[in-house]
Amino acid sequence: KLSRQQQAKKYRHHFQIEASKPKAMKWKPFYLLQSNNIFTTSATANRHNAEECVKFSDLFRGNFRKAVLGNFMICLETMHEHCPRLFQSDVDTYFIHGVATEDKIMNHEILPLFNQGNTHIALAEPRVLRDNGSKFSMYDYGKHHCKYGLLFYDNGIRVFITTANYISSDIDNLTNAVYVQDFPLYNKGCDVSTKVFTDFENELSSYFTHLLTYLKLEEEWRSRESWIVKRLREYDFTSAECDIVIIVA
């Protein structure tokens, strides 16, 4: 059995692996996110924060090509601070949020400050519809509150699910948890049509299939969005160390 110090050294070593080519990297896979909580002053707490936790920015290591990030509250300034790569011109980034009252401000005033004229970033809020096409009232089914990230690399995908809103007060000052795991591409020598899909993969694909149906996107992005579910089928999720439970309020 490894001591805490040996475990921490082992986990830190994983972060040094080149993340641009994930090879089912062995994360823990459950952590607390490192914070700067002003009330965390004891030596024991500070050591635990340094050795047993991961930084929010650690989740974004490597040269991912596409990113899908969902949450209730998203502060673009905070995301740029922790992961400037999300805003680089060679990355397609989707932010999916749940604060309808701030959607116009975020899209028309804040986002242009970061994308610098690039058209690779989409910010959208899911719209819940009745079967007949009419909208529910704002809170009939709550809001988009799921907190997740999909990072697409050349040779794999990183999936993480967290308890933190993407805002500085959550990330920097509160105690939050995160599940994170890397998955490799499905063996190219195998016939995808014979692939056995895991419950983890089926739930993940089902969630995004329904979610993307109700995203309010510009027509150009609407034509691009279907790649998300299609790409999920290209990865091998058999090593998943958790189950996904979809909850409807």
Side-chain angles (χ1 to χ4, degrees):
K1 184 177 181 180
L2 298 178
S3 66
R4 285 189 174 184
Q5 290 77 13
Q6 289 173 321
Q7 289 178 351
K9 182 178 180 181
K10 175 183 176 183
Y11 300 145
R12 283 197 297 271
H13 170 72
H14 288 316
F15 293 135
Q16 298 169 3
I17 297 175
E18 184 184 0
S20 62
K21 298 180 180 179
K23 299 179 180 178
M25 198 166 82
K26 184 68 174 179
W27 295 83
K28 198 170 178 178
F30 297 97
Y31 299 87
L32 293 179
L33 287 177
Q34 191 175 120
S35 70
N36 300 315
N37 193 323
I38 60 175
F39 300 107
T40 307
T41 56
S42 71
T44 301
N46 284 330
R47 185 171 64 250
H48 177 83
N49 200 19
E51 297 181 354
E52 303 291 340
C53 302
V54 297
K55 295 179 180 179
F56 183 66
S57 57
D58 286 334
L59 302 176
F60 298 92
R61 286 178 176 264
N63 295 320
F64 51 86
R65 307 300 181 184
K66 297 178 184 291
V68 180
L69 299 168
N71 216 307
F72 174 55
M73 300 176 69
I74 297 177
C75 174
L76 296 177
E77 295 96 327
T78 298
M79 297 305 292
H80 187 271
E81 174 187 352
H82 286 278
C83 185
R85 176 154 179 76
L86 291 168
F87 300 87
Q88 293 177 357
S89 60
D90 63 332
V91 178
D92 283 341
T93 301
Y94 292 73
F95 289 111
I96 304 171
H97 70 96
V99 187
T101 55
E102 297 184 11
D103 187 67
K104 289 184 178 179
I105 294 176
M106 292 172 70
N107 266 297
H108 299 296
E109 297 182 21
I110 300 177
L111 185 58
L113 298 177
F114 295 98
N115 65 18
Q116 299 179 347
N118 295 319
T119 58
H120 62 284
I121 301 177
L123 183 68
E125 180 218 356
R127 309 289 183 173
V128 180
L129 307 178
R130 293 185 187 276
D131 289 339
N132 63 8
S134 62
K135 289 185 178 179
F136 283 107
S137 64
M138 183 176 291
Y139 298 109
D140 278 356
Y141 276 89
K143 304 297 292 179
H144 178 265
H145 207 266
C146 301
K147 299 164 170 52
Y148 54 82
L150 303 179
L151 303 179
F152 296 85
Y153 297 82
D154 289 339
N155 292 331
I157 184 175
R158 176 167 300 153
V159 178
F160 66 82
I161 301 171
T162 181
T163 59
N165 280 294
Y166 296 152
I167 58 177
S168 60
S169 58
D170 273 27
I171 295 170
D172 296 329
N173 300 323
L174 301 181
T175 299
N176 283 285
V178 63
Y179 154 80
V180 55
Q181 196 169 351
D182 288 349
F183 301 95
L185 283 169
Y186 187 66
N187 191 332
K188 291 185 177 180
C190 299
D191 184 355
V192 178
S193 64
T194 63
K195 177 183 176 183
V196 177
F197 298 105
T198 64
D199 289 341
F200 180 95
E201 178 178 357
N202 287 333
E203 291 299 320
L204 196 63
S205 296
S206 175
Y207 173 78
F208 280 101
T209 297
H210 287 82
L211 175 67
L212 295 175
T213 302
Y214 300 111
L215 282 186
K216 182 182 179 182
L217 291 172
E218 298 296 333
E219 188 60 34
E220 179 185 2
W221 282 94
R222 172 64 63 187
S223 64
R224 298 189 202 179
E225 57 151 18
S226 60
W227 66 264
I228 297 176
V229 175
K230 292 178 181 178
R231 284 288 296 273
L232 288 176
R233 295 302 189 188
E234 298 178 8
Y235 302 100
D236 183 355
F237 292 98
T238 54
S239 61
E241 296 190 44
C242 75
D243 293 322
I244 293 179
V245 179
I246 300 175
I247 299 175
V248 178

